[in-house]
Structures are given as C-alpha cells and as structure tokens.
Amino acid sequence: MGALGTMLLVLLLAIELGQPIRARQSRSHWNDGVYRRAGILALLLEALWISSPGQFAFIGFPVLIVNTVFIAWSLRRLLICLGQEKRVGMDVLGGAVAGYLLLGISGGLVFSVLETIAPGSFVDHAGRGQELLLSGLASDPAGFRIWDLDFSRIHYFAFVSLTTVGYGDIIPATSVSQFLSVSLSICGPLYLAIVMGLLISRYTIQGEEEQQVRQRGSAAPGPPPHSGADSDDR
C-alpha cells in the first residue's frame, strides 16, 4: 500500500503541478512539459523497481536519482505557487501542509530504495531485536522482492526524522543512511521556517491592507446635508 500510495502521489504531482504555475502565464512553457515527462519517468521506474526481484535491486539507483530530482522540482514549483498568492486562505494553508507531507513521503521513498540497494542500512529495535526492515531478506536474500519491504515502517521512520523526534526504535546503521537521516532532519525545520515566515508575512500584509480599507471607509465624507432652500428654489 505504501508503494502504491507513492506512485499515486507522483502521478498527482505530475498532473497538478504540471500546469502553468506563474502569474499571467496563459499557456504551458517547455519546462512544464519536461516536468510532466520527469513525473511519468519516475512513475515507470518506480513500477519497474517494485516489480523486480531482489537480484535486480540495482534498479533502485535510477529510481533514487529520478525521484529525488522530481520531488525537489515539485517542491520548488509548489513554493512558487505559494509565493504568488497574495491572500492567505485555506488553499494556501493546504498547499503548505502538502509540501511538508511531500517531504516526509519522499524521504520514505529514498530510505526504501537505499534499503533495497544496501540491505541493513536501517535496523529495527522495537520488539524484533536486530531484524532488518526487509521482512524476507534474512531468510532468503536472493528470493525476496521489493514489495517484501516494510514500507509503513520506513515511512514512519522518515516522518520521525523529519520532525526531529527520533524515538530510537529504528536507527540508521550505515554512514549513508545516517547522512540521509540527518539531511531529512534538517529539511523539516528549514521548510517550516521558510514557509511559516512566508505565510506570516503575507498574513500580516493582508491584515494591514484590510485595516487600511476599513479606515478609508470610515473616514470617507458622507453626502452633503439636504437643504430646504434648495427645495424651495425648485
């Protein structure tokens, strides 16, 4: 289910963020088409990776590269959309939350690919001792398939790393997995700082503009008083 959800996410991003995103852009530019094609390529590679047996785990390398580029590009396009909004509404807040969730899901995908390329990169201490996250790897390393990977546990670890909680039930056991875990832990607070700063700034400007409109409305002169003399003249 985790792999299927990731594939649906990539498809949704390619469709929604593949549209013109800049103000006064009436038609798609060449980079919009390249972005959509990158999403389709990421989707096809991920489907091939999931359906591959363990001995073809090297397919994870192009999956890792293409998905990393596509996710980073998606976040950039999403931030461009948020930056162009003049008013902070529910759609803007929803986009900010979607970007944060996108970081966590992409981190889980990267960790999953790393675990298939280098089994043992993550160790689960919760109730299963030193057992690896790959459920079928310990018993039959040559026969497992990618879908034997416990996607739910790895995505759980990704979000725990993103929020810098770090319960310690799952730990990165290699230098590469440790580097990626630390990188994701840095991206979480950095994203919140940038997006929250943007939203607070826009909300402050929005409140000041609304207050100025109310002040101008209350200070506007009313119609001149009706004069009886004018009626007599008519």
Side-chain angles (χ1 to χ4, degrees), residues 48-207:
L48 179 62
W49 168 64
I50 292 174
S51 60
S52 300
Q55 56 266 32
F56 294 105
F58 61 87
I59 298 177
F61 279 110
V63 174
L64 180 61
I65 294 174
V66 173
N67 276 278
T68 301
V69 172
F70 180 73
I71 293 298
W73 200 351
S74 299
L75 283 173
R76 179 179 178 273
R77 293 174 71 88
L78 179 60
L79 291 177
I80 290 175
C81 293
L82 294 177
Q84 294 179 142
E85 295 291 338
K86 301 301 182 182
R87 301 182 64 84
V88 179
M90 292 302 298
D91 53 346
V92 176
L93 295 177
V97 173
Y100 190 75
L101 296 177
L102 181 61
L103 269 178
I105 295 173
S106 60
L109 176 62
V110 171
F111 292 163
S112 301
V113 174
L114 177 62
E115 182 66 19
T116 60
I117 296 174
S121 297
F122 300 95
V123 178
D124 190 356
H125 286 291
R128 293 182 288 179
Q130 298 285 333
E131 185 179 352
L132 298 174
L133 291 176
L134 283 170
S135 59
L137 181 61
S139 59
D140 187 11
F144 82 94
R145 290 181 176 271
I146 303 303
W147 58 67
D148 291 328
L149 183 63
D150 194 345
F151 286 97
S152 61
R153 294 290 289 169
I154 286 190
H155 278 81
Y156 155 80
F157 173 72
F159 276 98
V160 168
S161 300
L162 182 68
T163 56
T164 67
V165 175
Y167 291 114
D169 51 349
I170 299 175
I171 62 172
T174 63
S175 58
V176 177
S177 60
Q178 291 169 358
F179 172 77
L180 292 176
S181 301
V182 170
S183 300
L184 187 60
S185 300
I186 294 174
C187 290
L190 186 62
Y191 177 87
L192 291 177
I194 294 175
V195 175
M196 289 301 296
L198 175 65
L199 294 180
I200 291 174
S201 174
R202 292 293 168 87
Y203 188 76
T204 302
I205 295 175
Q206 176 181 327

